[in-house]
Amino acid sequence: MGTIILALGLVLIFEGFLFVIAPDRVEDLLEHFRQMPVEARRLVGLIALTVGLALISMALALA
């Protein structure tokens, strides 16, 4: 359970940091995603999910 809380905290820090340093760029990125076809957004999500799982696996293997 502690790992899940840590992961959520890291996500919130990262996303908050993006909104602090470049809020206009975040809006541009969201608009770009809105214009993408649904299948392309799913592919981006699948890639992000895969990379995230790989990073978690690596972190757990190193711990």
Side-chain angles (χ1 to χ4, degrees):
M1 184 67 170
T3 304
I4 293 172
I5 294 170
L6 175 63
L8 287 174
L10 290 172
V11 167
L12 291 173
I13 288 170
F14 180 74
E15 288 188 6
F17 185 67
L18 287 177
F19 278 103
V20 168
I21 63 169
D24 292 334
R25 298 292 264 159
V26 172
E27 288 180 21
D28 293 342
L29 182 62
L30 291 173
E31 183 60 35
H32 180 71
F33 275 119
R34 281 188 206 99
Q35 294 174 2
M36 290 173 68
V38 173
E39 291 303 317
R41 284 184 269 172
R42 282 193 179 122
L43 180 60
V44 169
L46 180 62
I47 291 169
L49 178 80
T50 304
V51 170
L53 286 172
L55 289 172
I56 290 170
S57 295
M58 286 174 29
L60 291 175
L62 293 173

